[in-house]
Amino acid sequence: MLLEKISTGASLRLGIILASTRKGRFGETVAKWFEEISKQDYRFETDLIDLSEFSLPWDMSKDMDSDLPIFSDRIAEADAFVVITPEYNHGYPAYLKLAIDSLHEEWNAKPLGFVSYGGSSGGLRAVEQLRNVFAELRMTTIRDCVSFHWAHARFHNGRPTEEFRYASSAEKLLNELYWWGNVLKQARMNFPRSVLRS
């Protein structure tokens, strides 16, 4: 069962970040499913940010010939985020770390949720590390996440085999993101950014 359509006032811009850049990645399947779920929730305008589409400078310079300005704009425009991440050797993808570290203020004072996938741990070890990283960027991470353990076995024809279960987890995540997204958006509008740097 998918999320019911919700009609509300002002919507939030939700950046869905696909962290894996590997060829043949399973993350595309997970991301497309979650994007579809998100689009059914009228509280959000979704933007799928596929890291494989960006060429970012590995030395973290502000190289204007790279895709950094475009990436910066996409992150700055979002009010909330969901990161779709696999787990590689108990950690998260290196290119995701580069993407995170390439920016700073664009991330500040925004909420962030996770959809993870992997083997026996379902990618949760990557998520726990990412919580610490994003906390340093003054972001609020959502406690509840969507996690696919033995992910390849959980999907058939691009959809989870227990879709009601995972859609319910996604709904809980989106509800939290919407609440935090509105609170933090108002705070960004009403308080000077210098408060974050003091």
Side-chain angles (χ1 to χ4, degrees), residues 12-149:
L12 295 178
R13 188 168 181 83
L14 177 64
I16 301 172
I17 300 173
L18 176 50
S20 174
T21 58
R22 284 183 173 179
K23 291 183 179 178
R25 59 193 174 167
F26 189 70
E28 252 181 284
T29 299
V30 179
K32 286 178 180 177
W33 171 79
F34 186 79
E35 182 185 25
E36 180 183 318
I37 290 282
S38 302
K39 283 183 174 179
Q40 294 180 47
D41 190 330
Y42 283 2
R43 297 173 297 180
F44 297 97
E45 296 176 7
T46 62
D47 178 23
L48 181 59
I49 303 171
D50 184 346
L51 294 187
S52 71
E53 296 176 355
F54 297 91
S55 177
L56 303 176
W58 279 101
D59 61 359
M60 292 188 293
S61 65
K62 302 301 180 184
D63 182 0
M64 293 298 106
D65 291 329
S66 72
D67 292 328
L68 184 60
I70 301 170
F71 181 65
S72 174
D73 288 345
R74 297 273 290 277
I75 298 300
E77 289 168 0
D79 299 306
F81 299 95
V82 169
V83 171
I84 314 286
T85 185
E87 181 180 313
Y88 298 156
N89 301 317
H90 287 221
Y92 53 92
Y95 205 69
L96 174 58
K97 186 64 163 72
L98 175 65
I100 295 168
D101 292 344
S102 294
L103 304 177
H104 192 268
E105 291 186 3
E106 295 90 337
W107 300 110
N108 288 177
K110 296 177 182 179
L112 171 78
F114 299 98
V115 175
S116 65
Y117 61 96
S120 59
S121 75
L124 291 176
R125 290 175 292 211
V127 169
E128 290 309 306
Q129 293 180 27
L130 284 167
R131 290 188 190 280
N132 290 328
V133 173
F134 281 111
E136 186 64 19
L137 289 162
R138 298 182 171 94
M139 300 186 78
T140 297
T141 60
I142 304 304
R143 175 186 177 276
D144 297 302
C145 63
V146 183
S147 178
F148 292 97
H149 300 252

